[in-house]
Amino acid sequence: MALIVHKYGGTSMGSTDRIKNVARRVAKWHDAGHRIVVVPSAMSGETNRLIALAKEVQAQPDPRELDMIASTGEQVSVGLLSMALQAIGKKAIGYAGWQVAIKTDSAYTKARIQSIDSDKVNRDLDEGKIVIITGFQGVDDEDNITTLGRGGSDTSAVAIAAAMQADECLIFTDVDGVYTTDPRVVSEARRLKAITFEEMLELASLGSKVLQTRSVEFAGNYRVPTRVLSSLTDPMLDLEVEANSGTLISFEEDKNMEQAVISGIAFNRDEAKITVLGVPDRPGVAYHILGPVADANIEVDMIIQNQSVDGKTDFTFTVPRNDFQRALDVLNGSKDALGAASIAGDAKVSKISVVGVGMRSHVGVASKMFRTLSEEGINIMMISTSEIKISVLIDEKYMELAVRALHKAFELEKA
Ligand code: ASP
Ligand code: MG
């Protein structure tokens, strides 16, 4: 008997028929003798609808009241799923975040979980009940309802699994796992049976939007074995088969998995590049260029500063494409104070990253990546690396070609 947390996304909860299917799947796991906690998202489209309603009334919705509204989609899902379970003869009880309680800070619309009291839930489980808890929402110290940011139900589920020391957190979703890259770009992309949470974190933050990034951080920090798997299969699928399906997000030391050097390739189309040309090379340059950009709340990603020539240097960095114009405006404002010759920008760039913990123990990954791109005639504008990742910035028109060539070069289609 194990304690297992199930999370179901909006698509899986998208209609009452689908909710009945979720109930059958949950009941199957409970019948096998497991203790089950379920964390559903709002029905698909519902959170968008609620936020749009708020904006019809107030152009810039008050964050506290917005959370009051946005959190209700999950409450409906919890009630419906409890009823669906009761209708097939199961004992089930639903809770809103505050009833558990899932305590968060007071940062409305992007609150962070601080603690979860699992006593009540454990008592229910002891009584043979299936416990269903709202995703996405929590409560602060003043009893205000908070939400965890879009996609936050993933984080709710992993956090609940961590607090309850669950054996596994199963994230049921509308894809059947994590792939070596986006199958829409590379048709040979292959589902990974397992991936380390560090690799997943790189892939998640690099734009493979399978899980909310914060949920992966939670899984890593609290060592919660987490599995991403499909909810679109037959709910009565053999339990053993289901338990081994999808992609397990695990830890390096117990990675008795396919040990490829590279696990996946991520890409991000939403980059833009800015170059500050001919700035005097003296202490404080980087600070004086990037300080105002940070003050404008613009996230900077890759950074390079060239070798100086005659006491002058060029400084290049990337920002999200949405913030490109704002970043240019900020820099044009500080151009004279910086003593810069000029400022140039390019919003038609993409970032491609190869990710794999195997890089720690293998050399030659970078040279293979650069050779592959050179053979395709693709120019590299910027490079950045971490222990398990190499990223390059290239012209956006070569993005798909580059991803396909790299996928092939690293033989990711082979298990
Ligand atoms: N319902 C929320 C959203 O749409 C949370 C979630 O689905 O994870 O963002
Ligand atoms: Mg989601």
Side-chain angles (χ1 to χ4, degrees):
M1 188 178 75
L3 171 60
I4 299 175
V5 175
H6 283 199
K7 185 261 173 180
Y8 290 90
T11 314
S12 321
M13 298 293 294
S15 65
T16 47
D17 280 337
R18 289 200 176 162
I19 291 173
K20 287 177 191 171
N21 273 339
V22 168
R24 292 170 68 209
R25 196 182 296 275
V26 169
K28 173 183 75 183
W29 281 79
H30 192 255
D31 288 341
H34 299 303
R35 291 156 75 89
I36 305 289
V37 176
V38 188
V39 179
S41 287
M43 296 169 80
S44 57
E46 186 60 12
T47 308
N48 287 344
R49 189 184 72 85
L50 293 167
I51 293 172
L53 274 181
K55 288 184 175 163
E56 276 177 32
V57 176
Q58 195 176 29
Q60 295 285 343
D62 175 77
R64 181 187 182 278
E65 306 311 319
L66 182 60
D67 275 359
M68 176 75 92
I69 297 166
S71 61
T72 60
E74 270 68 13
Q75 213 161 308
V76 172
S77 287
V78 164
L80 289 172
L81 182 55
S82 295
M83 291 177 184
L85 281 160
Q86 290 172 7
I88 56 173
K90 285 291 180 189
K91 290 195 275 181
I93 182 162
Y95 292 115
W98 64 268
Q99 292 175 301
V100 171
I102 299 175
K103 288 278 179 121
T104 70
D105 62 19
S106 305
Y108 298 116
T109 74
K110 49 177 182 295
R112 285 184 173 264
I113 294 177
Q114 290 174 332
S115 66
I116 296 177
D117 179 358
S118 49
D119 287 354
K120 197 188 291 179
V121 179
N122 273 318
R123 277 199 302 276
D124 290 326
L125 293 173
D126 287 344
E127 291 168 15
K129 292 178 185 154
I130 295 168
V131 181
I132 307 158
I133 305 173
T134 49
F136 187 47
Q137 54 162 274
V139 63
D140 75 1
D141 278 341
E142 257 82 68
D143 294 339
N144 298 301
I145 292 172
T146 56
T147 67
L148 309 180
R150 299 309 305 269
S153 295
D154 294 334
T155 302
S156 305
V158 177
I160 288 167
M164 302 196 62
Q165 298 181 310
D167 296 278
E168 206 168 290
C169 181
L170 303 183
I171 310 269
F172 287 92
T173 179
D174 52 359
V175 295
D176 66 352
V178 180
Y179 278 70
T180 50
T181 196
D182 187 340
R184 285 168 300 190
V185 172
V186 182
S187 55
E188 295 82 18
R190 185 175 51 85
R191 179 173 59 79
L192 294 160
K193 289 200 180 68
I195 186 168
T196 68
F197 81 89
E198 291 165 286
E199 291 169 325
M200 188 61 201
L201 206 51
E202 293 287 2
L203 294 173
S205 59
L206 291 167
S208 312
K209 298 179 185 67
V210 183
L211 288 181
Q212 198 199 33
T213 304
R214 205 181 289 167
S215 71
V216 185
E217 288 168 1
F218 243 103
N221 291 344
Y222 295 92
R223 305 190 65 78
V224 184
T226 301
R227 186 179 291 275
V228 176
L229 68 173
S230 175
S231 68
L232 304 176
T233 54
D234 175 359
M236 297 322 285
L237 175 67
D238 179 75
L239 191 139
E240 277 309 306
V241 173
E242 185 161 283
N244 290 297
S245 68
T247 302
L248 178 66
I249 302 167
S250 182
F251 310 97
E252 198 170 347
E253 53 279 18
D254 26 77
K255 195 178 171 186
N256 52 6
M257 10 168 139
E258 39 196 318
Q259 238 324 351
V261 180
I262 298 303
S263 294
I265 300 175
F267 49 84
N268 186 355
R269 304 175 200 263
D270 303 322
E271 299 263 332
K273 173 179 80 136
I274 295 178
T275 303
V276 183
L277 292 141
V279 274
D281 188 12
R282 59 174 180 237
V285 187
Y287 170 63
H288 286 112
I289 293 173
L290 296 182
V293 177
D295 290 343
N297 245 320
I298 298 171
E299 228 174 283
V300 171
D301 183 15
M302 303 168 96
I303 302 173
I304 44 173
Q305 185 186 326
N306 287 351
Q307 198 73 37
S308 62
V309 179
D310 300 330
K312 300 261 180 192
T313 186
D314 300 335
F315 192 94
T316 306
F317 59 96
T318 62
V319 295
R321 206 174 284 182
N322 274 339
D323 292 326
F324 178 58
Q325 194 51 52
R326 235 162 32 90
L328 277 181
D329 294 344
V330 167
L331 283 164
N332 280 317
S334 53
K335 178 171 161 264
D336 292 340
L338 289 168
S342 60
I343 291 163
D346 183 354
K348 295 199 157 120
V349 293
S350 296
K351 183 170 80 168
I352 298 183
S353 308
V354 299
V355 174
V357 290
M359 265 184 229
R360 290 202 181 112
S361 48
H362 287 74
V363 292
V365 175
S367 67
K368 188 174 200 166
M369 181 179 195
F370 303 155
R371 184 177 69 231
T372 306
L373 295 173
S374 100
E375 281 166 4
E376 298 294 338
I378 299 170
N379 185 43
I380 299 172
M381 299 170 175
M382 294 175 84
I383 301 169
S384 77
T385 64
S386 79
E387 234 190 327
I388 66 162
K389 176 188 76 176
I390 303 169
S391 305
V392 297
L393 194 74
I394 62 170
D395 187 325
E396 70 169 5
K397 67 173 180 268
Y398 300 122
M399 206 272 311
E400 300 206 351
L401 172 65
V403 174
R404 276 194 285 269
L406 290 167
H407 199 271
K408 192 144 187 246
F410 287 102
E411 302 186 331
L412 290 179
E413 74 285 358
K414 295 188 188 149

